[in-house]
Amino acid sequence: MRLPLITPAELTPEQKPLYEDMKAGIASAFNDFKTIDENGALCGPWNPWLHEPVYGKAVWELTKAMSIGASLPDPARQIAILVTGAHFDAAYELYAHIAVAEREGMSQARLSELCAGVKPRDLSPEEAVAYDVAFALVNGGVLPEPCYRLAVSSFGQHGANELIYLVGLYCLVSMTLNGFNVPVPERE
């Protein structure tokens, strides 16, 4: 880990409101995996964001908007997030969203394939669209027109937009985690 965890006692006046907002949001939406250590410090991408509160607040606002206002079906969301995390080999991202996917009943075989960068054969049509869009986007270039049209016909224009933004957000999350070498907590 390249940035030390910041305990509540060490927070600057600029960090305190962001810490409180992130802690409350994490408690309501991110409770399938470890996000806060025993000293109250935020783990995962939240710690690097807290180190730079101006940038961290902007990324956190986007994260909240993508989580709270989500309209995509959650299985499709998790597929897109796992495809993105696997592409970047973002260990904490995979740890966190494997936990979410397991809670939602995703099979170990499917999780294994997604983490290995393989498209599972048992995806629903919506999940397959999420996989294809995420895979195409993380591999660079313009999203192919058939992928885009299929996303719009599957999720509507708003849902297709959300899927593209979601992959972009998790590219940023993955870069944050990898850039700062954020460790994965031990699984309980």
Side-chain angles (χ1 to χ4, degrees):
M1 180 166 42
R2 296 186 170 128
L3 295 173
L5 294 177
I6 304 170
T7 65
E10 299 169 314
L11 293 168
T12 67
E14 295 79 23
Q15 293 168 328
K16 282 180 185 178
L18 179 58
Y19 172 88
E20 292 301 330
D21 189 35
M22 288 194 297
K23 185 176 175 189
I26 289 167
S28 69
F30 300 95
N31 43 25
D32 292 307
F33 50 93
K34 184 175 180 181
T35 56
I36 301 174
D37 81 353
E38 59 280 350
N39 297 319
L42 302 179
C43 305
W46 298 280
N47 182 62
W49 296 342
L50 195 54
H51 274 269
E52 296 293 338
V54 170
Y55 305 138
K57 184 177 190 297
V59 178
W60 176 239
E61 290 299 323
L62 178 58
T63 302
K64 288 191 307 187
M66 296 298 308
S67 299
I68 296 166
S71 67
L72 286 173
D74 206 57
R77 285 177 54 83
Q78 293 310 316
I79 295 290
I81 292 167
L82 287 166
V83 167
T84 305
H87 176 80
F88 291 105
D89 196 21
Y92 187 95
E93 191 61 44
L94 291 173
Y95 151 78
H97 285 276
I98 285 170
V100 173
E102 285 175 336
R103 177 186 45 81
E104 294 178 356
M106 191 176 292
S107 72
Q108 291 300 304
R110 183 184 278 191
L111 285 168
S112 177
E113 289 172 322
L114 289 167
C115 291
V118 175
K119 184 177 182 177
R121 287 174 272 162
D122 66 343
L123 297 176
S124 72
E126 285 183 339
E127 292 168 337
V129 170
Y131 182 97
D132 291 346
V133 168
F135 184 86
L137 288 172
V138 297
N139 282 288
V142 174
L143 180 64
E145 189 64 28
C147 290
Y148 179 77
R149 283 196 310 257
L150 196 53
V152 172
S153 69
S154 298
F155 304 117
Q157 186 65 60
H158 173 77
N161 297 351
E162 182 181 329
L163 179 57
I164 292 166
Y165 300 145
L166 182 71
V167 172
L169 171 62
Y170 279 91
C171 286
L172 176 57
V173 171
S174 294
M175 289 296 141
T176 298
L177 295 166
N178 286 347
F180 295 107
N181 194 25
V182 174
V184 175
E186 291 294 320
R187 286 192 76 174
E188 295 175 6

